[in-house]
Amino acid sequence: MLVRKTWGCVRTLALSRPFNLCSTAMAKSKYEYVRLFETDDTCLRNCYVVVRLDGRNFHKFSEKHSFAKPNDHRALGLMTRSARSVMEELEDVVIAYGQSDEFSFVFKRTSTWFKRRASKLMTHVASQFSSSYVFYWKEYFAEQPLLYPPGFDGRVVLYPSNRNLRDYLSWRQADCHVNNLYNTAFWTLIQKGGLTTVQAEERLKGTLAADKNEILFSEFDINYNNEPPLLRKGTTLIWEKRDEPVTKWVKLPNEEGEKEMTVTRSRKRVCPHHCDIIGDQFWEEHQDILESDDC
């Protein structure tokens, strides 16, 4: 029974069911047709889904935040920590590779996360990475405040075979080598050779890898092959089982009380590697990363 007061009069209305403004009759509306404009962006099945993030205008960002040149180990560490956060959130990411201001995340080919919608995968990776970058900033840049939020753009690419995926990751690692060799030579000419940026660019114009190696070695006694693998090879993140000591209390047999004991348990963790991923050795040692091309 519902009592309604209208203009001084009282009306009593009989209701056959409870009065509910959220009834199923109101679940849909005439505006729902706009969903038809959404594009179907479901990724093809049996393909590796790669989401690659790149820092947006990071040249300016690095200058504003006083990044060391040619490489800032704090910045590289923060990138790796943010990437690890993505993998821990999305366990279907079987491998990730990063260098400089970019990181690629590979979802296993049988993944059904977010119904394989490209937009969902890309935005989730980008948002998790970006928020982690800001969240962990102080752990790596304790004395440098974050002046403004960083930006990252992303793209989604599908690779149908193991060879295609390996070639993609090889391409990114080769790019790491080319860029780092150039930057090492460029900033060495400036910091140790006294050249201006314009003069350093002119000196390196048209040079090959062998020429840059010769400049570093003959003029500055720097053997590029002795540079840290992190800088020359980038960072590869994979899931690995690691034994960890765990302390727990165990009841003693036929006695009262408990005893503290340390046991070893195996847990999966995201682990970094700074090694060659172009050759076969890495893939032979970690055969669980790739899925069969026969699936």
Side-chain angles (χ1 to χ4, degrees):
M1 187 72 70
L2 175 67
V3 178
R4 177 180 297 173
K5 187 175 181 180
T6 308
W7 293 99
C9 300
V10 177
R11 294 182 179 179
T12 302
L13 304 177
L15 300 177
S16 60
R17 60 181 178 178
F19 188 70
N20 184 4
L21 291 176
C22 298
S23 64
T24 55
M26 300 181 65
K28 295 185 178 182
S29 72
K30 64 179 180 180
Y31 306 110
E32 194 172 355
Y33 78 94
V34 296
R35 295 182 61 185
L36 298 176
F37 287 87
E38 294 184 12
T39 302
D40 180 11
D41 61 349
T42 304
C43 296
L44 290 174
R45 297 180 61 185
N46 298 332
C47 291
Y48 291 103
V49 180
V50 176
V51 178
R52 186 166 98 231
L53 300 184
D54 290 279
R56 180 180 176 274
N57 200 8
F58 251 55
H59 178 73
K60 174 185 175 183
F61 184 86
S62 64
E63 289 185 347
K64 290 291 184 180
H65 292 88
S66 304
F67 281 17
K69 303 294 184 181
N71 294 290
D72 192 307
H73 287 265
R74 299 167 302 170
L76 295 173
L78 179 55
M79 288 288 292
T80 299
R81 181 63 187 88
S82 302
R84 200 180 90 198
S85 176
V86 172
M87 291 185 67
E88 291 169 346
E89 177 71 17
L90 302 172
E91 294 183 5
D92 271 10
V93 176
V94 291
I95 184 172
Y97 176 79
Q99 50 122 342
S100 186
D101 64 341
E102 73 166 55
F103 241 101
S104 297
F105 301 89
V106 181
F107 286 81
K108 62 183 182 181
R109 68 198 319 172
T110 54
S111 175
T112 57
W113 279 71
F114 306 114
K115 298 182 180 180
R116 295 182 68 84
R117 291 189 59 184
S119 56
K120 289 280 190 178
L121 293 169
M122 181 177 67
T123 53
H124 197 104
V125 169
S127 62
Q128 182 71 28
F129 189 94
S130 301
S131 60
S132 297
Y133 195 94
V134 174
F135 184 81
Y136 293 110
W137 174 268
K138 288 186 178 180
E139 291 187 15
Y140 295 86
F141 291 87
E143 299 179 359
Q144 170 63 58
L146 184 61
L147 302 178
Y148 62 91
F152 296 89
D153 62 66
R155 71 201 71 186
V156 175
V157 186
L158 305 182
Y159 294 99
S161 71
N162 289 337
R163 174 47 57 189
N164 294 151
L165 178 63
R166 283 189 55 180
D167 285 349
Y168 167 77
L169 294 171
S170 297
W171 170 49
R172 300 322 304 146
Q173 187 166 70
D175 186 72
C176 172
H177 165 70
V178 171
N179 290 337
N180 189 65
L181 177 58
Y182 180 90
N183 289 333
T184 300
F186 178 79
W187 286 103
T188 299
L189 287 170
I190 294 172
Q191 295 169 350
K192 296 185 177 182
L195 273 60
T196 65
T197 55
V198 174
Q199 291 172 332
E201 287 178 0
E202 188 63 29
R203 177 73 188 281
L204 295 176
K205 184 182 296 183
T207 58
L208 301 176
D211 302 321
K212 298 180 182 67
N213 274 294
E214 181 61 27
I215 291 173
L216 289 171
F217 187 74
S218 62
E219 298 182 26
F220 303 100
D221 196 28
I222 296 176
N223 185 339
Y224 180 75
N225 291 327
N226 293 334
E227 291 293 293
L230 165 65
L231 308 180
R232 294 183 292 108
K233 303 295 185 181
T235 300
T236 302
L237 297 178
I238 60 174
W239 290 98
E240 288 186 304
K241 286 186 177 181
R242 294 290 176 90
D243 291 335
E244 299 179 349
V246 178
T247 301
K248 68 176 185 177
W249 290 91
V250 179
K251 288 186 177 181
L252 298 174
N254 303 322
E255 295 183 30
E256 293 183 358
E258 297 179 333
K259 180 180 180 180
E260 187 179 18
M261 297 184 63
T262 300
V263 297
T264 301
R265 290 182 177 176
S266 182
R267 296 182 60 183
K268 286 183 63 177
R269 288 196 174 275
V270 178
C271 301
H273 292 262
H274 311 296
C275 61
D276 177 76
I277 58 174
I278 296 177
D280 294 329
Q281 181 176 348
F282 172 83
W283 301 101
E284 291 172 353
E285 293 175 352
H286 305 283
Q287 297 185 17
D288 57 325
I289 297 176
L290 301 178
E291 297 174 79
S292 172
D293 280 332
D294 298 329
C295 64

